[in-house]
Amino acid sequence: MGRNRFAWLSTLLLLRAAAFADDPCPMNASRPAPENAHLVNEVLWAGQPENPYPPAAYRLVQGVGYVLCTCETGSCIRKCCPPNAVYVNSKCTPLNASVSVAEFKVPKFVNANGTVDVYETDLFNIVYEELTCNGKYKLDPSVREDDIFQVNKAGKLLDESGKMIFAPNRFCLEQFSELNYQILAVVCSPENFEISGGQNIFYTIGMMLSLPFLFTTFLVYALIRDLQNLHGKSLMCHVATLLVGYTSLIIVQFIDDSVDKTWCIFLAYILQFSFLASFFWLNVMCFDLWWTFSGFRPLGGNIREDESKKFIIYSIYAWGCTSLISIITLGMEKLPYLPTDAIRPEFGVTKCWFDSDLATLLYFYGPIGTLLFSNLLMFIHTAIGIVKHTRDAKVLRGSESQKNVDHEKQRFMLYLKLFIVMGVNWLAEIISWATGSDGSEYVWYVTDIGNSLQGVLIFLIFVCKKRILNLLNKKLIPQFQLFKTSTKTSNCTVPSKTSSNLKNTDTVEMSTESTSNSTNNQLHDF
């Protein structure tokens, strides 16, 4: 009984003063030393009867006096939330008085079936504090067999075989309401990935470099009216979503545990929506390229009306599908009557993103992989169509037919570059996520950094072209000619209205010359 009371009082008297000392106590947990505390040869004697405390077990705090390090004088366990609070929808929430929840007890062993055994209530000093490390995740043996864990009497987290995987200051235990108040461990991301940390720094720097290039690309197409055709509008939508996505991802990199979980969850939804939208607009542009080269007839009306109708349809598809996935994600998180084994996103539980691999696959990488695969099929079919057109041009031997084939090849190569830059990099990202790191993460560094520099690559492909720069020159400083105008027209001339199976607007460079109805082109980013 006395020991139990001592543990309870120790918990209530935890001080933060030791956190400001040069050498704080483990887990910043301490309690005042008894009034009779005194030093004898660097050993602190205190209590009744007096007990010796070695230097590691006490601190001298200015204005407070001697404090005993709670986790040095006994075993400590960190509870993620305050007393009478648990994790509800990824945040610490006070328990409702009408809800009956089992007492928090430190588990000895947890496997896929739940807690196997628990310790006595008074064995550990409980520290009520969330983890303050960068990057956390939950160990859930019911989802991942490798997450089976046990806690020893020293307060260390062990794996199934008994090997220590986390020290007491690197994990906390908490009850999760969505798992029937099952107690699980939330752990800090391993610290031994020093190179991975360096990679994250370069990844963040790459995204920061991409932001001004993405903004400049969007601004160029917004300023030059001649570029605001079907292709230009699609490109602007794609660039805008990447701009929002990269900005949100950079902010997430600097979020720590002191930030309100609401902001973390909000940014997670923004990240999901923006990146999914960018891939749906990539899919739109690939589809439009495939549609054009497949020889389908326009929707009806003149070219401007046709492109306006198509852009409305494309917008409904891209924004609508993205919104639908986001709504489903939100519903799976918030709806209270879902089965306990439902795959919830769990944004903000351990990080500002999905908490499990299954949720990431279902709500993010799954749709992206499907879109990339459909893009690949459309590229293959388009390549076959180009080969067929090349053969037809050789038979016809007409300059106009050959010109159309050249336009097809150039336009296809433009989008092939974009597919390699965007699609292949993200495909590698999905593969690296699916296979895990396990020491092979070095292989994916190039594609990861390439993904972060996509804004730069888009700028080089769509803005750093002589014709675009000439248009920008005429728009901003028409009195000076900074770029020479090429006398060749093969890259800018609009195909004749009599070109077979191609609309007269399908030019590689989105020609803006004063040929009637030629300003509405159908190029894409991906």
Side-chain angles (χ1 to χ4, degrees), residues 203-264:
Y203 194 81
T204 303
I205 293 174
M207 289 188 293
M208 289 180 174
L209 289 174
S210 285
L211 288 182
F213 286 96
L214 286 171
F215 180 75
T216 302
T217 303
F218 182 88
L219 192 62
V220 167
Y221 279 77
L223 287 175
I224 303 176
R225 184 176 179 83
D226 291 337
L227 298 180
Q228 296 174 16
N229 49 24
L230 180 59
H231 158 70
K233 291 178 181 178
S234 300
L235 177 61
M236 290 171 66
C237 290
H238 174 71
V239 169
T241 56
L242 284 180
L243 191 60
V244 174
Y246 279 2
T247 303
S248 302
L249 194 55
I250 291 172
I251 295 174
V252 167
Q253 303 298 317
F254 296 98
I255 284 182
D256 56 29
D257 295 321
S258 63
V259 177
D260 189 348
K261 290 288 185 181
T262 303
W263 281 105
C264 181

Side-chain angles (χ1 to χ4, degrees), residues 221 226-227 229 231 407 410-411 414-415 417 461-469 471 489-495 505-513 518-519 521-523:
Y221 279 77
D226 291 337
L227 298 180
N229 49 24
H231 158 70
H407 286 310
Q410 293 173 30
R411 186 179 180 188
L414 176 66
Y415 290 110
K417 291 177 184 177
I461 293 173
F462 284 100
V463 177
C464 288
K465 299 190 295 182
K466 185 176 293 185
R467 192 185 62 83
I468 302 296
L469 295 176
L471 289 172
T489 59
S490 60
N491 289 335
C492 299
T493 305
V494 181
T505 57
D506 297 325
T507 62
V508 180
E509 300 284 348
M510 296 189 311
S511 176
T512 61
E513 298 180 14
S518 66
T519 59
N521 302 301
Q522 301 173 359
L523 295 181

Side-chain angles (χ1 to χ4, degrees), residues 368-369 372 376 422-432 444 451:
I368 288 177
L372 289 178
L376 178 62
M422 308 297 289
V424 174
N425 275 343
W426 272 91
L427 184 61
E429 173 78 13
I430 295 174
I431 295 174
S432 67
W444 311 107
N451 275 336

